[in-house]
C-alpha cells in the first residue's frame, strides 16, 4: 500500500486527516505560529492556495478571511469531505481540487492546479513540498509562500521497551533539521525563489493514558500484524507504570518565502 492508499483507508476509518488520540502538546510546537503567520498575510483581497489541504480544517479557518481559497489534495475522499464541509458552511469563495502535484503524476514536472500569476499566497500545513518547483508560475509578484513541515525527532528512549510490532520505526533517511531546511532552500533556489525566514519548533507531546498512546503508536498502521488494543494493552500499561507519562518530541520547521 502506498502513502495515498493508506490515507484513503484513514479517510474511510475516521472520516478525515486528524490525530485520533488525546495527548498534551507543549506550547511552542509551531502549529499556532503557522496559523499566525498565515493570518498576518491573509486579507480579503488575496487569492490563497492550500497545498495538501486534507479534509479542509484550514479552509474553515482561512477561507472566510480570503478573497478566494483554493485547496488541493491527492486523496479523493479528503477532497469530497472538504467540499461537503464548504457547502455546509456556505463558503462560496472556495474551490477544492483533487490533484497530486508530484512530478510522477504530471509528466515529470510538479504542477500546482492554478493558472499563471493567479495567486497571492500559498500555504501548506504539513503538506507536500514538491509544489515549490511550480510556485513561481502560479504566483503574482509579491506573493508569499508559507509552510509548516514535520521534522524527524530522535526516537524516545522507551521505544526499545515496546514489543517490536509496536515500536516506532527507525527513519533510515533521517533528514535531520539542517538537511530538510537545506532541501527546501535548494528547491526554492531551483525555482528562483528565496527563503525569507525559517524557524524550528521542538515541543514534547505527553501521553498519560495507555489507550491514547496505543492510538498514536498504531496511527496509519494497517498491517495485519499490528497488535490489537487488547494484545498491546499489558505492554503499554507496563511501560506507563514504569515511567509515568511518556513523551515524543514534536519537531516542526516553519518557513516563508517571497516571490519577487
Ligand atoms: C499531514 S496531512 C495534512 C493535511 C492538512 N494540511 C491538515 O493540516 O490537516 C498531508 C496532506 O498532504 C496531502 N499530500 C501529500 N502529498 C501530496 C501531493 N503530492 N499532492 C497533493 N496532496 C498531497 C495528503 O494527501 C494529506 O492530506
Amino acid at each position: 500500500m502506498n502513502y495515498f492508499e493508506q490515507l484513503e483507508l484513514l479517510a474511510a476509518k475516521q472520516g478525515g486527516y486528524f490525530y485520533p488520540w488525546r495527548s498534551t502538546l507543549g506550547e511552542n510546537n509551531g502549529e499556532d505560529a503557522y496559523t499566525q503567520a498565515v493570518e498576518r498575510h491573509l486579507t480579503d483581497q488575496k487569492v490563497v492556495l492550500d497545498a495538501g489541504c486534507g479534509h479542509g480544517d484550514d479552509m474553515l479557518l482561512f477561507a472566510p478571511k480570503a478573497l478566494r481559497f483554493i485547496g488541493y489534495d491527492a486523496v479523493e475522499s479528503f477532497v469530497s469531505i472538504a467540499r461537503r464541509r464548504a457547502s455546509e458552511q456556505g463558503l462560496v469563495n472556495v474551490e477544492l481540487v483533487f490533484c497530486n502535484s508530484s512530478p510522477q503524476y504530471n509528466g515529470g514536472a510538479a504542477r500546482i492546479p492554478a493558472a499563471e500569476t493567479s495567486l497571492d499566497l500559498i500555504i501548506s500545513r504539513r503538506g507536500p513540498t514538491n509544489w515549490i518547483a511550480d510556485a513561481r508560475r502560479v504566483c503574482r509578484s509579491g506573493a508569499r509562500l508559507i509552510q509548516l513541515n514535520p521534522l524527524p525527532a530522535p526516537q524516545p528512549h522507551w521505544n526499545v521497551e515496546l514489543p517490536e510490532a509496536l515500536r516506532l520505526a527507525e527513519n533510515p533517511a533521517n533528514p535531520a533539521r539542517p538537511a530538510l531546511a537545506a532541501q527546501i532552500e535548494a528547491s526554492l533556489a531551483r525555482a528562483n525563489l528565496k527563503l525569507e525566514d525559517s524557524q524550528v519548533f521542538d515541543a514534547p507531546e505527553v501521553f498519560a493514558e495507555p489507550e491514547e498512546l496505543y492510538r498514536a503508536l498504531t496511527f496509519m498502521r494497517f498491517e495485519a500484524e499490528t497488535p490489537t488494543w487488547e494484545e498491546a494493552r499489558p505492554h503499554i500499561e507496563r511501560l506507563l507504570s514504569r515511567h509515568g507519562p511518556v513523551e515524543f518530541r514534536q519537531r516542526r520547521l516553519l518557513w516563508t518565502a517571497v516571490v519577487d
Side-chain angles (χ1 to χ4, degrees):
M1 226 191 304
N2 70 29
Y3 173 61
F4 299 109
E5 290 165 340
Q6 288 180 320
L7 288 173
E8 278 291 355
L9 272 185
L10 190 74
K13 188 174 165 201
Q14 60 176 45
Y17 188 96
F18 56 86
Y19 299 142
W21 59 80
R22 281 177 295 123
S23 61
T24 312
L25 185 56
E27 280 178 19
N28 210 26
N29 54 63
E31 298 287 335
D32 291 346
Y34 171 81
T35 303
Q36 285 155 15
V38 173
E39 287 183 336
R40 267 199 304 280
H41 293 289
L42 199 56
T43 70
D44 59 6
Q45 301 300 304
K46 290 194 176 173
V47 179
V48 53
L49 176 132
D50 187 358
C53 63
H55 68 293
D57 279 356
D58 279 345
M59 164 193 79
L60 298 182
L61 202 57
F62 299 136
K65 299 173 183 165
L67 178 64
R68 194 156 159 254
F69 182 100
I70 306 162
Y72 77 87
D73 202 282
V75 175
E76 195 163 14
S77 306
F78 289 166
V79 176
S80 304
I81 297 166
R83 284 187 184 135
R84 194 197 64 225
R85 297 175 90 193
S87 90
E88 283 167 1
Q89 293 300 311
L91 294 172
V92 291
N93 63 339
V94 163
E95 184 189 341
L96 292 156
V97 188
F98 169 42
C99 163
N100 193 319
S101 49
S102 143
Q104 287 127 276
Y105 291 78
N106 296 283
R111 182 137 186 114
I112 293 169
E116 275 71 8
T117 55
S118 59
L119 304 178
D120 303 296
L121 183 58
I122 301 183
I123 62 173
S124 183
R125 193 189 296 266
R126 291 176 275 112
T129 54
N130 51 43
W131 54 268
I132 293 170
D134 195 33
R136 180 166 277 284
R137 178 185 68 81
V138 294
C139 282
R140 297 192 179 112
S141 172
R144 280 227 157 46
L145 318 178
I146 307 176
Q147 184 162 45
L148 185 70
N149 304 107
L151 292 172
Q155 281 189 350
H157 63 88
W158 45 263
N159 194 38
V160 290
E161 296 175 36
L162 288 169
E164 203 153 337
L166 277 177
R167 275 184 212 158
L168 298 159
E170 276 291 349
N171 186 343
N174 196 5
R177 175 251 185 281
L180 184 72
Q183 278 167 28
I184 286 170
E185 248 183 290
S187 304
L188 288 167
R190 276 196 299 277
N192 195 17
L193 297 163
K194 214 162 162 224
L195 190 67
E196 180 186 37
D197 189 30
S198 80
Q199 208 179 337
V200 171
F201 295 84
D202 185 339
E205 180 173 18
V206 179
F207 290 83
E209 296 299 325
E211 197 163 355
E212 306 303 329
L213 179 58
Y214 170 77
R215 290 198 178 105
L217 290 169
T218 54
F219 183 61
M220 299 271 292
R221 285 167 83 163
F222 300 109
E223 312 91 54
E225 55 276 19
T226 303
T228 62
W229 163 235
E230 284 314 323
E231 288 163 347
R233 184 178 188 154
H235 302 283
I236 296 184
E237 285 181 346
R238 203 173 315 125
L239 184 86
L240 290 182
S241 69
R242 205 177 294 144
H243 295 287
V246 293
E247 70 175 46
F248 296 110
R249 302 307 300 181
Q250 286 292 349
R251 302 180 70 235
R252 313 245 197 277
L253 172 71
L254 173 62
W255 62 266
T256 58
V258 195
V259 180
D260 54 17

